[in-house]
Structure formats: C-alpha cells, structure tokens
Amino acid sequence: MKLKFTKMHGAGNDFVVIDAIHQQIDFTPEQWRKLGDRRFGVGADQILLVERPTQPGCDFRYRIFNADGGEVEQCGNGSRAFVKFVAEKGLSQARSITVETKAGVIAPRLEDDGSITVDMGAPVLEPARVPFDADDLQGQPEGRDTLWPLVLELGGAREQVLVSAVSMGNPHAVQVVDDVDQAPVELTGPLIEHHTRFPNRVNAGFMQIVNRHHIKLRVYERGAGETLACGTGSCAAVVAGIRRGLLDSPVRVDARGGQLSIAWEGEGQSVYLTGPAVTVFEGEIEI
Ligand SMILES: N[C@H](CCC[C@H](N)C(=O)O)C(=O)O
C-alpha cells in the first residue's frame, strides 16, 4: 500500500506518525521494522498510530511500535507529537485531548507558548507490576523499595549496579551516575534491557544529578537503543530521584536532543511532562 506519514520528533526522539483513522493499517512486525529502518525505510525510534478511541470519553486511541517492531504501552515524547499532529491535521480543534493507550488514559495539552504538557498518569512502583522480579532480593539500602541490586555479566566479570524500578505504563530501570557523558550506556544499556529480572525487558536510564531541580539523562531504550530523549524515561528518573530524596519537583531534564520538564507531587499523583514537538516533513512510502 502507499502509506501517508508525518515525520516528527520530541527533543530529538523521532517518530513516524500515521493517521490510522483515514488509512487502513494492519502491518506485520516486519513492516513496522521496515518503517523504522534508517536505511531501508523512513527511520524512527518509534512509529505512532492515531486511531479512533475504543474507550468512552476518550478523543483518540494512541498505539506505539518500537523500531524493533514490538508494540509497547507508552511513549511520552510521542504523546506531544500526537497532540500536535491531530491539531495540524484538523482531526481535533481542542487544545487538550484525552488519549487512550495500552497503559491507560493520558491527557496532552497544547500550551500558548508552543510547548506541550502531558498528564502521564501516576507511576507504578510495586516491583511485580513494573514488572521487575525482586522476590529473592533483600531489603533496600534506603528503604521504601527505592534501590535494587542488579548483577550484570560483563564478559567473564560480574558487575553490580543499583537501579530504581519504575513503570510509567512501560518499564524503566534508572541508575544515578557521576557523569552521563562518561556512562557506559552502549555497554551496559543492552545488558540491563535484556536482564532476566525484567521479563518484559526494560528501558535503562542513566541519570546525573546537577542539583535538586536539574538532571542530565541518557536512556538506552527497550526496542530502540539509545535515543536522544525519552519522555517516560525522564518521568521515571525524576520519580526515582524524588523518592530517594535527591530531587524536588519540578525538575529540568537535559537530554542529548533537548530539554524537558517533569513535575510530580508524590505517590499516587500524576507525573506531568512538558516539552517540544516538531513536524519535520510529510511523506509517502510504498509498504
Ligand atoms: N522504548 C520505550 C517506548 C518509547 C518511550 C520513549 N520514546 C518516550 O518518549 O517515552 C519502551 O519500549 O517502553
């Protein structure tokens, strides 16, 4: 089929966005992978589908596929591209919409200054629901289940890293590092992504604390590798830092591709993600 798409990004995390209301989309994982392929296809970290809602009270349904072809629960940077896309395409006249995802309902809002704020819902912190297998792990150094030891097999050696396990609908393992630019993201990111204690795999975050309202963050994403920014990863990192008493809301997040802002007032409360969304080009592809 000849597929119409829009190429977009949120702080450098890039997307192929597809109107699946006016186009019949029923692709195989191989076709999603082709769309995401930076040589044989369009190229993107994720592919985002705009669909009619199935839940009453929602304006749209939002489906997300990683570059590896797998469908996932949530994408924070993508939710900002989503609301900009539906406004630009005239699919909605509202500045604030409710969007159904596999992880629940989120609410992106177009701000007057062109930025977008998204109510990402409340984080999930119970290990079994991340999901993270912590059954045989002993008590936490700081209590409140904020840190877990993860043993990585590096060649013949074994290295232990301490991670916080947080779900924003999708799973995240966040660790604090002294310097993100020196962090072994490419080496340990894949080991964490595929660690057996994360049965659905996991996004691996590397967070440097600049001050109590400012971090630098790199994320080796499940199904995509390191991206220039990760919205849910930024939410998870700030939640982990606040729970560990290292950060205070709101927090500026410096990603390699741009700047995001995260606000969270504590357990049971929604996490709010604010940042940019950019339309790069429109295209068509035979797929
Ligand atoms: N790789 C993620 C999905 C995309 C998340 C990220 N791009 C964001 O902005 O939240 C996962 O497999 O859970």
Side-chain angles (χ1 to χ4, degrees):
M1 78 176 277
K2 187 175 284 293
L3 175 73
K4 293 182 187 304
F5 68 87
T6 301
K7 187 73 179 17
M8 302 183 77
H9 75 83
N13 181 195
D14 67 334
F15 311 110
V16 167
V17 188
I18 297 168
D19 173 352
I21 295 173
H22 300 97
Q23 297 182 104
Q24 184 61 38
I25 307 293
D26 182 17
F27 290 159
T28 63
E30 182 48 40
Q31 286 175 299
W32 295 124
R33 279 192 291 275
K34 178 180 175 188
L35 267 179
D37 191 298
R38 299 191 184 284
R39 291 175 180 78
F40 295 101
V42 180
D45 295 324
Q46 282 85 35
I47 296 112
L48 313 181
L49 283 195
V50 179
E51 297 186 341
R52 296 191 198 294
T54 64
Q55 283 184 15
C58 288
D59 299 308
F60 295 97
R61 185 185 182 201
Y62 167 32
R63 293 175 69 194
I64 302 125
F65 296 84
N66 279 324
D68 71 355
E71 184 169 5
V72 291
E73 310 89 344
Q74 194 56 271
C75 178
N77 287 326
S79 66
R80 301 197 310 274
F82 189 105
V83 68
K84 183 177 174 76
F85 177 88
V86 299
E88 288 181 344
K89 295 294 183 186
L91 296 173
S92 170
Q93 274 62 50
R95 295 181 64 76
S96 183
I97 58 176
T98 53
V99 179
E100 166 193 340
T101 74
K102 285 180 73 162
V105 177
I106 59 173
R109 184 180 68 247
L110 289 164
E111 306 288 5
D112 293 339
D113 65 0
S115 69
I116 295 152
T117 294
V118 191
D119 174 345
M120 295 296 297
V124 168
L125 301 165
E126 181 191 335
R129 293 178 56 213
V130 171
F132 171 62
D133 176 8
D135 293 348
D136 61 329
L137 292 178
Q138 302 312 311
Q140 301 316 311
E142 301 171 337
R144 297 182 64 236
D145 294 348
T146 58
L147 269 183
W148 304 90
L150 211 56
V151 176
L152 306 180
E153 306 285 343
L154 280 164
R158 295 162 67 95
E159 177 185 321
Q160 178 175 288
V161 293
L162 290 175
V163 298
S164 296
V166 179
S167 171
M168 290 303 301
N170 60 341
H172 292 270
V174 185
Q175 61 185 285
V176 174
V177 295
D178 294 334
D179 179 346
V180 282
D181 294 324
Q182 304 304 318
V185 174
E186 289 305 322
L187 177 67
T188 60
L191 301 179
I192 297 169
E193 177 193 0
H194 295 277
H195 199 284
T196 53
R197 286 192 182 276
F198 291 97
N200 294 346
R201 294 185 292 156
V202 71
N203 300 282
F206 301 77
M207 161 169 68
Q208 175 183 340
I209 310 276
V210 177
N211 63 48
R212 296 187 63 85
H213 288 282
H214 184 188
I215 64 171
K216 293 182 179 180
L217 181 69
R218 291 172 68 185
V219 181
Y220 190 91
E221 286 199 27
R222 176 180 64 171
E226 181 174 7
T227 57
L228 293 181
C230 181
T232 51
S234 300
C235 296
V238 169
V239 166
I242 290 172
R243 292 188 82 225
R244 294 185 57 196
L246 303 172
L247 298 174
D248 297 310
S249 179
V251 176
R252 167 182 158 181
V253 179
D254 290 352
R256 291 196 145 182
Q259 186 177 311
L260 303 175
S261 178
I262 307 293
W264 184 55
E265 295 308 325
E267 321 264 332
Q269 304 293 316
S270 281
V271 185
Y272 291 88
L273 161 66
T274 299
V278 175
T279 299
V280 182
F281 66 87
E282 307 284 345
E284 285 188 1
I285 183 170
E286 191 63 41
I287 191 155

